[in-house]
Amino acid sequence: MGLSTSAPLTRAVAFVDLEGGVKSVPIWDAAFVSEHTAMRMYAPHTKRQQSAIRRSLGRGEEKKHLVSQANMHAALADHVRASGPLTVVAWSSQEQRVLRRALPDDAFAQLSFVDPLPWVRRTFKCSNNSLSYQGKDPDALLPRLGVVNAHPHTALSDARALRDVCLAAMRRHHGEPKMSYAKCVDALLECVCTPAWTLVPAPKDSVQML
């Protein structure tokens, strides 16, 4: 199946989750996760968001990645530019749409997008495909693949759950429980046929800055 190579990834890939960025709610939590590294930034502006952030952080980390709401889009753009060409793996098309509205054209052009959700639905036929599922149904996606999301609806925890779901799905699908991270990601991109969906960039004057 072409999965025996141990070569490193030939492209930069990040599992991404954003909280907010739709309707009138600004982006308030964002995370980009890879194998051993993660970048998170947050700008909570309600008590509920502040509480969610606080519960998801270790002691003493409350201000480590805090940015002002006014600087959230600029911080995202700086991270994307510094990453260079980047393949974003996200659960559905929402992150792509949010980033299209939030990023300037030069930063958005660095990104390509992959949505593994349709492939996971077809392959595993789970009763619930939510990354935030907290129930006991053994046929739901997270328990079926042995993945735990400790703090659902926060960006870092959801992005890590997405990564772990994709890795577990590839290992189970190929019958290789010890398949490396690089092999899993390459297999994932092959399975979901990069890019899984494409949006034509909106004209600059029609982009809504949230």
Side-chain angles (χ1 to χ4, degrees):
M1 285 183 270
L3 298 174
S4 60
T5 177
S6 59
L9 284 170
T10 57
R11 72 203 90 185
V13 174
F15 297 86
V16 176
D17 186 78
L18 306 171
E19 299 296 323
V22 295
K23 297 183 179 179
S24 60
V25 180
I27 300 170
W28 58 274
D29 195 10
F32 292 69
V33 172
S34 58
E35 183 176 12
H36 299 301
T37 62
M39 188 290 301
R40 184 186 192 183
M41 59 187 73
Y42 45 82
H45 58 279
T46 69
K47 289 184 178 180
R48 184 190 68 81
Q49 293 167 5
Q50 291 170 353
S51 178
I53 291 290
R54 193 176 301 114
R55 288 195 304 270
S56 71
L57 295 173
R59 182 173 298 179
E61 290 185 335
E62 286 82 357
K63 296 183 178 180
K64 187 175 181 182
H65 305 289
L66 182 66
V67 298
S68 70
Q69 187 61 63
N71 291 331
M72 176 60 92
H73 290 180
L76 283 169
D78 288 345
H79 175 72
V80 168
R81 291 187 184 108
S83 299
L86 181 68
T87 297
V88 170
V89 181
W91 207 239
S92 86
S93 62
Q94 178 171 304
E95 271 68 22
Q96 184 180 18
R97 297 177 188 278
V98 171
L99 288 171
R100 172 62 274 183
R101 293 192 294 266
L103 296 176
D105 290 343
D106 70 300
F108 186 77
Q110 297 284 322
L111 305 177
S112 58
F113 293 84
V114 167
D115 176 9
L117 178 54
W119 180 85
V120 169
R121 281 177 173 158
R122 291 193 308 270
T123 304
F124 292 95
K125 297 179 173 61
C126 295
S127 59
N128 185 315
N129 292 295
S130 171
L131 295 178
S132 60
Y133 178 76
Q134 296 289 287
K136 297 181 180 180
D137 180 1
D139 290 326
L141 180 65
L142 294 190
R144 187 168 174 184
L145 292 179
V147 174
V148 175
N149 186 346
H151 301 283
H153 304 300
T154 57
L156 183 57
S157 190
D158 282 357
R160 284 174 171 165
L162 169 59
R163 176 198 62 191
D164 294 347
V165 159
C166 290
L167 298 181
M170 286 298 106
R171 287 163 181 157
R172 183 166 299 190
H173 181 62
H174 291 284
E176 296 187 32
K178 296 184 179 180
M179 184 187 290
S180 71
Y181 174 85
K183 287 196 217 173
C184 284
V185 172
D186 282 340
L188 172 71
L189 299 184
E190 181 179 345
C191 281
V192 301
C193 301
T194 307
W197 30 259
T198 303
L199 283 178
V200 176
K204 188 65 176 178
D205 58 4
S206 71
V207 176
Q208 178 186 2
M209 302 303 286
L210 299 180

